[in-house]
Amino acid sequence: MQAVSNPGPGTLRRRTRPVMVGQVAVGGDAPVVVQSMTNTDTVDVVRTAIQCAELARAGSELVRITVNTPEAAAAVAPIREHLGRMGVDVPLIGDFHYNGHRLLAEHPDCAQGLAKYRINPGNVGHGRKRDEQFAQMIEIACRYEKPVRIGVNWGSLDQDLLARIMDENARCPEPRDSIAVMREAMVVSALESAARAEGLGMPGNRIILSCKVSGVQDLIAIYRELSRRCDYPLHLGLTEAGMGSKGIVASTAAMAVLLQEGIGDTIRVSLTPEPGGQRTQEVIVAQEMLQTMGLRAFTPMVVACPGCGRTTSTFFQELARSIQDHVRQRMPQWRIDHDGVENMTLAVMGCVVNGPGESKHANIGISLPGTGEAPAAPVFEDGAKTVTLRGEHIAQEFIAIVDSYVARTYQRKSPGG
């Protein structure tokens, strides 16, 4: 399969058919898209719309919502209207299981208001009903000219198909092990479902595929095979990544390998939120993964040293966090007002060993005094020292310097530009 140049250095993008999801381009030459999903009760229109807006403002370019009941389906249009009043036009994706054919047929406002339908071929029905109900969803998608994601999940894999693959494997001279059979069944489920959708009239440039599992090596193996056998855009993500650092590490370990190989057109980091934690964390992790790999730029990157025996004070840690928070808070407006600010790098360093050097490499950096060092903090802009800060207000003064640097360095966009 041919590949096209990737925006990031050192990688090739797999060539896929471009698919439009609302106003967002997926596949083709488009950059990898960040997706997330709400965890509110969709029936609660206000809470769901607010969370959709939070996710979109954090940088989620597509937001998926659960559509599992008639009440949830009836809430889609009001959610869309509420988002419009908030000035948020993020495309909404409907997540359907079991009864999607009925909900879409009975709620045309839902079918029209969604930008894409997610269909799981493992639970659209059983036996003859499976084919009928899958066909109904595809026919509705065609009627409203909506793309679909055919999303296979190993927790709900079509058991009839799995049995068929197992029987075929048993007849082979050298049967594969059970893990290989499961992986093959997932790939076949996605490809056969896509072929059936096209046979029902769905254009190939309105189909996205995914095959989600929880294991890192399983995900890598399945997507490598899926990418080898089709040219549909692929949505990446572990189906249950987990909490905290485990979820972040697992998602990055799996998706970074595939992205580096040019595989993947949309990604979601399926983190389990900490109690009381923000749903937007999964968006930030997805953005940081893509930006750290050099595939996209979303927000200025803050480089900070880890600290050591030279930096027993927590001041540089607190400053690094303050700068990181300040950048994220200002970024929505910066993105509107300043071209290219997302490519800026900042350095917050804790002592004189690497501090000045790292600060010179960044667009703007500060080298704080380590334990026992002179209480002075030189600031570097584009490699040159511009000022040395002292006293109790270093943090506030450095933040002001950052704001001033952004204002004069990144050209203000013209209205509507």
Side-chain angles (χ1 to χ4, degrees):
M1 182 172 293
Q2 292 181 329
V4 297
S5 296
N6 192 70
T11 62
L12 291 176
R13 281 293 297 281
R14 167 182 169 269
R15 186 181 294 279
T16 60
R17 314 183 199 190
V19 175
M20 292 303 299
V21 182
Q23 72 275 23
V24 176
V26 174
D29 293 328
V32 179
V33 172
V34 174
Q35 180 173 316
S36 60
M37 184 175 183
T38 59
N39 62 354
T40 56
D41 182 353
T42 306
V43 176
D44 190 332
V45 171
V46 174
R47 285 187 63 227
T48 301
I50 288 172
Q51 189 173 84
C52 287
E54 290 172 345
L55 292 166
R57 288 166 179 159
S60 183
E61 293 151 305
L62 302 173
V63 175
R64 184 157 48 113
I65 61 176
T66 298
V67 186
N68 58 335
T69 64
E71 294 77 14
V76 169
I79 290 167
R80 182 73 276 166
E81 292 169 3
H82 202 78
L83 285 169
R85 289 194 292 271
M86 290 190 286
V88 176
D89 61 356
V90 64
L92 298 180
I93 301 165
D95 193 60
F96 294 100
H97 298 275
Y98 308 110
N99 58 356
H101 62 291
R102 187 165 60 250
L103 296 177
L104 286 169
E106 295 174 357
H107 297 272
D109 285 350
C110 169
Q112 181 61 52
L114 295 169
K116 184 176 72 173
Y117 310 154
R118 188 274 177 132
I119 305 172
N120 183 340
N123 58 27
V124 293
H126 299 285
R128 187 166 59 184
K129 285 187 176 181
R130 178 191 302 112
D131 292 340
E132 293 174 357
Q133 291 167 187
F134 180 83
Q136 288 176 42
M137 295 189 74
I138 295 299
E139 287 162 4
I140 292 170
C142 291
R143 184 187 314 158
Y144 291 99
E145 299 184 339
K146 304 293 183 179
V148 298
R149 171 161 69 90
I150 296 173
V152 181
N153 190 301
W154 76 334
S156 52
L157 187 57
D158 182 340
Q159 294 302 298
D160 291 339
L161 182 144
L162 179 59
R164 189 190 89 202
I165 300 293
M166 291 174 65
D167 289 344
E168 292 172 355
N169 182 64
R171 292 193 293 270
C172 291
E174 297 182 6
R176 293 172 290 182
D177 62 28
S178 59
I179 293 176
V181 171
M182 181 276 293
R183 293 172 176 173
E184 174 66 10
M186 294 197 63
V187 172
V188 170
S189 178
L191 295 178
E192 289 188 354
S193 297
R196 175 159 172 72
E198 289 203 52
L200 291 165
M202 172 65 69
N205 64 356
R206 289 193 202 142
I207 297 174
I208 297 171
L209 299 184
S210 67
C211 287
K212 288 194 172 184
V213 294
S214 295
V216 169
Q217 295 299 335
D218 290 322
L219 193 83
I220 293 170
I222 288 169
Y223 273 89
R224 280 174 172 166
E225 184 63 16
L226 191 60
S227 70
R228 187 183 68 82
R229 290 159 66 173
C230 77
D231 62 357
Y232 298 110
L234 301 180
H235 171 73
L236 302 185
L238 291 174
T239 187
E240 291 97 15
M243 293 184 76
S245 59
K246 185 272 177 186
I248 294 171
V249 170
S251 294
T252 305
M255 285 191 273
V257 171
L258 293 167
L259 291 167
Q260 187 66 18
E261 296 177 4
I263 299 170
D265 301 282
T266 71
I267 66 170
R268 183 194 172 201
V269 178
S270 299
L271 293 181
T272 304
E274 299 287 347
Q278 294 295 314
R279 190 66 164 180
T280 52
Q281 178 66 16
E282 67 175 51
V283 179
I284 293 170
V285 172
Q287 288 182 326
E288 289 179 345
M289 184 192 310
L290 293 173
Q291 187 153 351
T292 301
M293 293 183 69
L295 300 178
R296 291 191 66 180
F298 297 95
T299 190
M301 294 289 283
V302 178
V303 177
C305 71
C308 65
R310 290 177 174 269
T311 57
T312 55
S313 168
T314 61
F315 182 77
F316 87 93
Q317 299 164 337
E318 294 162 359
L319 179 58
R321 172 54 64 91
S322 296
I323 292 297
Q324 183 82 60
D325 292 345
H326 180 74
V327 164
R328 287 208 168 269
Q329 289 167 6
R330 293 300 305 275
M331 193 58 202
Q333 191 61 44
W334 280 353
R335 187 178 290 113
I336 296 170
D337 293 341
H338 302 287
D339 257 333
V341 68
E342 66 276 6
N343 297 303
M344 181 174 67
T345 57
L346 303 97
V348 179
M349 305 303 294
C351 77
V352 298
V353 174
N354 293 317
E358 286 280 3
S359 296
K360 290 176 183 177
H361 289 310
N363 294 110
I364 182 168
I366 186 169
S367 178
L368 296 167
T371 305
E373 295 170 2
V379 174
F380 298 83
E381 299 180 32
D382 296 322
K385 187 171 81 169
T386 57
V387 67
T388 299
L389 304 181
R390 294 179 173 86
E392 299 178 356
H393 304 292
I394 288 177
Q396 298 93 317
E397 292 173 3
F398 183 63
I399 286 173
I401 291 170
V402 169
D403 286 343
S404 176
Y405 180 88
V406 170
R408 69 175 185 274
T409 303
Y410 297 96
Q411 183 179 359
R412 179 177 291 272
K413 294 182 178 179
S414 59

